[in-house]
Amino acid sequence: MTANCAVIVAKDEREVRTLSEEAISKGAEALEFRLDSFPVIPADLSFLSCGVPSIATLRSPLDEERKEIFIRALSSGATYIDIESDSVLRGQFPKEQVICSYHDFEKTPADDEILTIFKDLQSSGIPKAAFMVRGPADLLAVWNAASVLRERGYPFIFIGMGAAGEVTRIRAAELGSMLNYCALRPELASAPGQITLEEAERLGTDPQITAVTGYPLTHTFSPEIHNAAFKAAKIRGRYVKIPAASQEVPLIPDVIKKYRIIGMNVTIPHKESVIPLLKRIDPLAESAGAVNTIRNSPAGLEGYNTDILGIAASLASVDMDPKDADVLIIGAGGAAKAAAAYLKSAGARLSITNRTHSRAETLAEIFGARAVKLEDLAPEYQLILNATPAGMSGFEHCSPVPNTLFTKDTVVMDMIYDPEVTPLLAAAKAAGVRACINGKTMLIEQAAASFTLWTGITPNRDVMRKAFEARAA
């Protein structure tokens, strides 16, 4: 059985006792005391005898000093001391009182190498290994190695670090890890990807997990708005990030299956490449040729496109009726396909432009639109919609089209929501266009539709909106 272990990071003896009591009152089943957080380690270590299993951890190059402190810690009531795999102190304490640990803050090795590491650690105590998880391949390596370790029957501690590793913490019990290390408070997290004790207790042992994949995922707001929706609906659920480089996209179905992920959003650049991996495609998504939502159903993985609903809601918010309007779509990827599918069905006259003109031509042919080179664009559109990452945080900071396109009758929509005012929208506003729309409404509406597909529940949009605004602040 996996125990939630609160990590106690304190600066003095008084604080360490206060935090210990707080952790236990919140349900902590074990405590790790980071003795290296003290400016001066207290002479009295009796706080280590706290009523639950306790671990004394001290990272320091001063091994002789550490040895003396570890001896005092064990005599003061610590259940375990944590000793690194490369420490000279390894083998100098009884195995039953040692957690022998290994950390790789850069990568996760292949599963066979993970098993070799655990075998070595086990010779000196309870083996503990933490690896930086970068994407689907690493998640599968963790799962496969943990499956072998469970069969071997001895206790072990296994941690996936980083944002992509968060799902391993939530599924710690299924991995078979003896402990799930938790931060007592967000600001006291001692490792990347560590969830709080309060969140671990809220989730319990069998929470619903949803996720987003794409690359990169540095600036996504989706976790904040979905997790706010889970809490408001009183669902034991958690939305996590699983970044995937293009070569790892084929591994996504296996990750969904093994970690029992009930649904996944898909963002750039994978909205088209995931389609062959799915068993069924919803007609709306099929018409768009792009999927932004995967549902893990009993019949297999299903693909949907809730971006279309988000686009419709965004335009409705400024009373923009696309019927018979001249519309310019900027881009030729999955988001542009969703926009084209909706706008074509709504009766708009479509033009498509893209930096790579051949891609604009391909998309235009699919939807009966006109492909226009960037240099040939003229101010003739009632709606201009950007479906590229140009102007997004972390991408090229520029407007994707010339400012000469804007008129007082133009509605300009940018699917980007971070930043809220992109270079495109700033230029459009300065030109005095009819209305400017960023990606906020689209994000919330597509997220709400995805949430309902996964859970069967209509989420509280006000809660999701407030979470967005808090993240954007």
Side-chain angles (χ1 to χ4, degrees):
M1 182 176 175
T2 301
N4 286 330
C5 177
V7 181
I8 305 300
V9 179
K11 62 181 181 296
D12 55 44
E13 189 177 349
R14 180 179 178 180
E15 185 180 30
V16 78
R17 293 184 185 278
T18 299
L19 295 179
S20 300
E21 292 172 4
E22 178 184 338
I24 292 171
S25 71
K26 289 182 175 179
E29 300 158 294
L31 300 180
E32 180 192 35
F33 292 89
R34 291 301 303 250
L35 300 183
D36 41 21
S37 69
F38 290 101
V40 178
I41 296 175
D44 181 7
L45 298 179
S46 60
F47 55 80
L48 291 166
S49 181
C50 55
V52 296
S54 64
I55 305 161
T57 300
L58 175 60
R59 308 290 185 223
S60 169
L62 305 176
D63 287 310
E64 285 305 312
E65 180 182 333
R66 283 208 306 162
K67 182 176 182 179
E68 184 272 328
I69 292 170
F70 281 148
I71 291 171
R72 285 202 292 124
L74 291 170
S75 66
S76 297
T79 313
Y80 306 103
I81 55 174
D82 185 308
I83 296 177
E84 305 91 329
S85 60
D86 58 353
S87 172
V88 297
L89 299 181
R90 185 175 173 179
Q92 296 189 31
F93 292 89
K95 283 178 60 175
E96 62 273 14
Q97 294 180 311
V98 172
I99 292 174
C100 189
S101 61
Y102 177 94
H103 295 78
D104 189 330
F105 291 96
E106 295 182 358
K107 65 184 187 305
T108 298
D111 47 350
D112 56 349
E113 187 177 344
I114 292 173
L115 293 172
T116 299
I117 290 169
F118 269 99
K119 183 177 180 180
D120 172 63
L121 297 174
Q122 189 194 10
S123 65
S124 301
I126 295 172
K128 168 191 168 187
F131 303 102
M132 182 59 68
V133 173
R134 299 159 298 181
D138 291 349
L139 286 173
L140 294 176
V142 168
W143 185 272
N144 294 337
S147 299
V148 175
L149 293 172
R150 288 195 305 274
E151 292 177 0
R152 292 177 178 175
Y154 59 75
F156 63 90
I157 302 167
F158 207 162
I159 303 165
M161 296 186 290
E166 186 178 323
V167 68
T168 70
R169 298 176 184 270
I170 298 167
R171 290 284 185 242
E174 290 185 40
L175 287 175
S177 181
M178 184 179 91
L179 297 177
N180 179 29
Y181 287 81
C182 305
L184 184 54
R185 301 171 193 160
E187 67 273 17
L188 297 178
S190 60
Q194 202 172 71
I195 63 174
T196 63
L197 174 64
E198 183 178 13
E199 180 70 352
E201 290 293 315
R202 183 186 74 83
L203 292 173
T205 57
D206 188 25
Q208 297 186 35
I209 298 178
T210 55
V212 60
T213 191
Y215 197 84
L217 293 176
T218 312
H219 300 283
T220 179
F221 287 20
S222 292
E224 286 83 0
I225 63 177
H226 278 275
N227 287 327
F230 272 132
K231 290 178 182 178
K234 300 189 185 317
I235 295 173
R236 292 177 180 263
R238 182 82 172 175
Y239 187 101
V240 301
K241 295 193 291 186
I242 302 178
S246 296
Q247 66 269 22
E248 292 190 281
V249 170
L251 303 177
I252 287 172
D254 209 14
V255 170
I256 291 174
K257 178 182 177 181
K258 285 182 162 59
Y259 285 91
R260 292 196 300 112
I261 296 170
I262 65 170
M264 182 177 282
N265 283 136
V266 183
T267 188
I268 55 173
H270 303 326
K271 293 183 181 185
E272 298 162 273
S273 58
V274 297
I275 290 176
L277 309 175
L278 309 177
K279 187 167 184 180
R280 188 183 81 83
I281 308 297
D282 178 74
L284 201 59
E286 193 166 18
S287 72
V291 163
N292 82 310
T293 301
I294 297 171
R295 181 170 68 173
N296 186 2
S297 77
L301 299 184
E302 301 172 342
Y304 298 83
N305 195 307
T306 63
D307 280 341
I308 293 173
L309 303 176
I311 294 166
S314 297
L315 296 180
S317 71
V318 295
D319 296 321
M320 173 64 206
D321 183 357
K323 186 176 181 181
D324 297 325
D326 290 305
V327 176
L328 174 66
I329 297 173
I330 309 162
K337 282 186 172 182
Y342 165 66
L343 292 166
K344 181 70 175 178
S345 68
R349 292 185 292 271
L350 297 182
S351 295
I352 298 169
T353 191
N354 190 62
R355 283 197 299 188
T356 305
H357 186 62
S358 61
R359 295 193 66 202
E361 290 179 316
T362 299
L363 188 58
E365 185 176 351
I366 293 171
F367 291 99
R370 181 170 65 114
V372 186
K373 293 181 179 180
L374 283 166
E375 60 268 26
D376 294 335
L377 292 172
E380 57 187 355
Y381 304 103
Q382 286 81 57
L383 172 63
I384 296 173
L385 189 151
N386 179 38
T388 77
M392 182 187 294
S393 294
F395 287 81
E396 188 178 2
H397 188 74
C398 65
S399 175
V401 291
N403 298 348
T404 53
L405 296 187
F406 307 130
T407 74
K408 62 181 178 60
D409 297 319
T410 308
V411 172
V412 180
M413 177 177 171
D414 201 326
M415 290 186 175
I416 294 167
Y417 56 82
D418 180 27
E420 290 193 58
V421 180
T422 63
L424 173 67
L425 294 181
K429 185 176 181 180
V433 300
R434 176 185 154 195
C436 290
I437 319 167
N438 65 19
K440 175 182 174 180
T441 297
M442 178 179 170
L443 175 71
I444 292 169
E445 290 300 323
Q446 65 83 15
S450 296
F451 190 93
T452 301
L453 278 170
W454 299 329
T455 66
I457 292 172
T458 300
N460 186 323
R461 284 170 168 78
D462 288 337
V463 167
M464 299 174 88
R465 197 169 292 109
K466 288 176 183 176
F468 176 99
E469 290 165 356
R471 171 69 167 78

